[in-house]
Amino acid sequence: MKTLPLLLPSLYILLSLTLSHGLTKKPTDLEVFHMYSPSSPLRPRNNPSWEDTVLQMQTKDKARLQFLTSLVAAKKSSVPIGYGKNIVQSPTYIVKAVFGTPGQTLLMALDNSNDNAFIPCTDCVGCSTTVFAPTKSSTYKKVPCGAPQCAQVPGPLCSLDKTCASNFTYGSSSVQTRVSQDTLQLAQDPVPTFTFGCIEKTTGGSTPPQGLLGLGRGPLSLLSQTYNLYKSTFSYCLPNFKSTNFTGSLRLGPLGQPVNIKTTPLLRNPRRSSLYYVKVVGIKVGSKVVDIPPSAFAFDPNSGAGTIFDSGTSFTSLVKPAYIGVRDEFRKRMGNATVTTLGGFDTCYNVPVIIKAIPSITFMFDGMNVTLPQDNFLIHSSFGSTTCLAMAAAPDNFNSVLNVIANMQQQNHRIFYDIPNSRIGVSRQMCS
Ligand SMILES: *[C@@H]1O[C@H](CO)[C@@H](O)[C@H](O)[C@H]1NC(C)=O
Ligand SMILES: *[C@@H]1O[C@H](CO)[C@@H](O)[C@H](O)[C@H]1NC(C)=O
Ligand SMILES: *[C@@H]1O[C@H](CO)[C@@H](O)[C@H](O)[C@H]1NC(C)=O
Ligand SMILES: *[C@@H]1O[C@H](CO)[C@@H](O)[C@H](O)[C@H]1NC(C)=O
């Protein structure tokens, strides 16, 4: 009789310990939206048709691919502003981040191929909106010229008041920022004295409306700045752009990451340390390994050649010999039915296609084969009258040596970036 009252409080203590332990150890998950998704406040107001949306995404991809190519180019990178000032090429997925004290909420674009974090601030010249007011934050600080962070930003400048500024290009934009520090809150985790750029001036159409959160690996990236918290580990599941009900997420840190997941080694290009290079060994269409010259997939840090996972490009882009090989085999397996085009897609069918007759497509990475579900390589018009193979050859008006595994091919998968163990994992997960 006596044991029960004693047992109950200890059970209670044990339970509450477990509970509070469980609470503090919650994974850091941020909701991820597609910029065009019906739930996104940044969706274009004119409600474009399916065709227009696809064409717009292709145009943005061209600008994006040109930007990525200029990043990896053997020569000193300069960004040709070939795709016009009206083209917004900013990345397509956004997350909610809170800056300052009290917090000001922003919907920042995610870009895994970039290290920078920058946001439009009060008095910005050329920003489409100003969303962050430094004077309303009690924890906001400017970084002085002598600070180590000032040596790590791209294009450092020292202002008259001896605070640090940074001048760089992003896509087709040139951006000038005041190097700043403030508290950043991601989900439940505060990151004090996070270094970022407060945009003072920008030109061109690539600056995301509410700023950019880079997930690259460089010294000033979010990952480097939060190493103690997140150990340079993250994963995401990107929802389909058409979905309204989704649970897309960005998960920061080792907690709650997939354990049994197929992985492939990450390669490092010292000239472009922020890009996530992997090795592709081949591509299968149906059961056939397509005959593609190995040079199409060769990794070469000097020329920048190789294959990257990019969250900001919509449709996978392969160097010409690889794309032609995949496309021809795909067409053949579609029974040589009449093909049509849609913008940059050259393998579309206007007849309702028989889903069962469509061959699978498998990316063979070093140590990991990923067979894409149809939703990851086919797009269908709203009425199902057009179906296209949603990949393309790298645009040939600039010298592209880069294969880009784009977000359409990553959607509804968990993509796990494990930098300490130098690997990327992929597993199927429905999040849209
Ligand atoms: C920043 O860069 C742009 C273009 O690269 C240049 O026109 C501008 O003068 C630079 N600003 C400063 C303050 O150096
Ligand atoms: C989204 O989910 C809500 C509730 O779960 C449901 O009522 C709604 O119909 C769904 N919308 C779509 C487009 O599936
Ligand atoms: C498709 O075309 C190729 C080359 O012209 C030919 O070898 C193949 O037999 C054709 N396949 C079908 C199913 O008609
Ligand atoms: C990937 O597929 C190829 C061809 O089917 C096979 O030879 C290879 O062993 C597979 N690799 C892995 C890691 O499963």
Side-chain angles (χ1 to χ4, degrees), residues 242-246:
K242 284 197 206 164
S243 75
T244 42
N245 286 353
F246 58 80

Side-chain angles (χ1 to χ4, degrees), residues 262-263 281 284 286-289 362-370:
K262 292 186 284 188
T263 64
V281 291
K284 277 198 286 188
S287 56
K288 180 166 178 204
V289 178
T362 303
F363 278 85
M364 297 157 62
F365 298 98
D366 180 9
M368 163 177 92
N369 289 345
V370 177

Side-chain angles (χ1 to χ4, degrees), residues 36-333:
Y36 290 177
S37 82
S39 14
S40 161
L42 303 177
R43 181 180 163 76
R45 293 235 188 84
N46 56 353
N47 204 17
S49 70
W50 177 81
E51 276 81 2
D52 286 345
T53 305
V54 170
L55 293 177
Q56 208 177 348
M57 285 159 87
Q58 287 179 349
T59 314
K60 285 174 61 172
D61 270 6
K62 262 195 185 169
R64 173 90 182 163
L65 291 166
Q66 190 172 17
F67 173 53
L68 292 171
T69 301
S70 77
L71 285 184
V72 302
K75 289 192 218 108
K76 172 94 188 85
S77 70
S78 69
V79 177
I81 312 196
Y83 283 98
K85 36 188 180 307
N86 300 325
I87 292 159
V88 180
Q89 70 100 156
S90 57
T92 31
Y93 287 93
I94 47 182
V95 292
K96 200 189 284 178
V98 179
F99 277 80
T101 314
Q104 302 177 37
T105 300
L106 312 174
L107 290 170
M108 298 174 82
L110 272 188
D111 185 349
N112 74 336
S113 296
N114 209 287
D115 291 341
N116 279 319
F118 50 80
I119 55 179
C121 290
T122 311
D123 295 333
C124 168
V125 177
C127 292
S128 54
T129 47
T130 48
V131 284
F132 182 68
T135 52
K136 292 193 182 141
S137 169
S138 63
T139 40
Y140 176 84
K141 284 197 291 270
K142 294 180 186 179
V143 169
C145 295
Q149 290 85 355
C150 195
Q152 293 172 330
V153 295
L157 301 162
C158 193
S159 311
L160 287 176
D161 65 354
K162 298 276 184 288
T163 61
C164 184
S166 165
N167 196 12
F168 56 92
T169 54
Y170 180 75
S172 61
S173 288
S174 87
V175 185
Q176 193 179 313
T177 66
R178 206 176 325 132
V179 182
S180 308
Q181 291 181 326
D182 208 335
T183 300
L184 164 65
Q185 175 116 17
L186 295 167
Q188 73 274 23
D189 304 334
V191 182
T193 56
F194 177 72
T195 305
F196 63 98
C198 226
I199 309 175
E200 292 186 315
K201 199 162 124 188
T202 180
T203 58
S206 296
T207 308
Q210 300 198 9
L212 185 93
L213 193 61
L215 289 174
R217 295 181 265 183
L220 257 197
S221 70
L222 173 72
L223 295 186
S224 303
Q225 292 195 57
T226 57
Y227 184 79
N228 289 336
L229 198 53
Y230 302 133
K231 306 285 182 274
S232 282
T233 305
F234 69 98
S235 69
Y236 55 62
C237 184
L238 303 175
N240 187 283
F241 77 97
K242 284 197 206 164
S243 75
T244 42
N245 286 353
F246 58 80
T247 52
S249 74
L250 169 67
R251 175 164 289 180
L252 296 164
L255 199 70
Q257 297 295 0
V259 181
N260 295 314
I261 187 169
K262 292 186 284 188
T263 64
T264 187
L266 262 177
L267 307 176
R268 188 178 269 279
N269 178 347
R271 297 185 60 252
R272 273 301 157 191
S273 55
S274 43
L275 299 181
Y276 293 105
Y277 277 94
V278 292
K279 182 167 176 47
V280 171
V281 291
I283 299 176
K284 277 198 286 188
V285 174
S287 56
K288 180 166 178 204
V289 178
V290 180
D291 191 16
I292 296 169
S295 62
F297 299 126
F299 172 61
D300 178 356
N302 288 317
S303 67
T307 305
I308 62 167
F309 269 76
D310 182 44
S311 64
T313 308
S314 293
F315 304 112
T316 287
S317 168
L318 301 174
V319 298
K320 211 154 200 174
Y323 177 70
I324 301 288
V326 169
R327 178 198 73 182
D328 289 354
E329 186 61 28
F330 185 83
R331 287 181 179 176
K332 201 163 111 191
R333 287 180 179 248

